[in-house]
Amino acid sequence: MPKKVIKAESLISSIINSRGGMALLLFFSLILIFNDLSKPGLPSNDDCAKARRAIEMIESGDLLTPTLGDEPNFDHPPLYIALLSTGFLLFGKSAFAARFFGAVCALLTVYLIYIIGTRVSGRKAGWWAGFFLTTSFFYIKIARRVQADIPFAVFTLAALYFFIRAYEAWQESEDMGKSNAQIFKFMLLFGFFTGLSGLIKSVFIVFPLAAPFLFIIIRMQFKKGIILPYFAASALAIITAGWWYLYSYIKHGSLFVRAYGEKFLGHHIS
């Protein structure tokens, strides 16, 4: 192999494996995600409807009941709409403001992919995982939409990061032959962020709960030291997300039940 090629590969590898590699990755992602974010107009009625819900939440001051046309609308739990409204509070009513929160979440997703990949397989793997994500055309396209998918991914990845930390703490406790309080701490953080994901995309909360559970069964063989913290974290996740569903049922009654029934069953409920 020519010396110039070897030197180039060595230079790239040294950059990726340095602390500056993360900054370079995030800077590159920032340019791709935020470039021309202020382009006028939103691409679909769905994007416009979500942006409208955020504006109405600001105008009403009600952070718990999203509305559309000033009527209660339960297509999304309130956390996504509330966070989406931050763009309008910061920049006023504009297409850039509508896209801002999703773009920030897209950048955070790249960062979380990087730190998870680094923790699991090393800094090089984390860097390339983030790079391939941020250079995906479909990913960049969704990042610039007013959609809940990438905000959901942020909370889900944060939850999985803390599950990985809990797993590492469990491994350490197994090696040392004694209990480790870090397991419960990281597991509760896993449960909290999982609950927040449920306040972004409701029933999709099952995914960040199910994947670690399968890992515990298959890889960890249902070990005692990890299963109790997992169930405690799952309870916290359900409480973190579930209080809003209980609140909405108490406040709106059959209106809330019909809205969710129609959303998931796909037909009108009388």
Side-chain angles (χ1 to χ4, degrees), residues 95-109:
F96 175 84
R99 297 186 181 108
F100 175 75
F101 174 66
V104 170
C105 285
L107 192 62
L108 287 173
T109 302

Side-chain angles (χ1 to χ4, degrees), residues 121-141:
S121 299
R123 190 172 285 172
K124 186 176 181 180
W127 196 92
W128 283 112
F131 176 80
F132 286 125
L133 176 65
T134 202
T135 53
S136 165
F137 170 77
F138 183 73
Y139 174 76
I140 294 297
K141 181 179 179 180

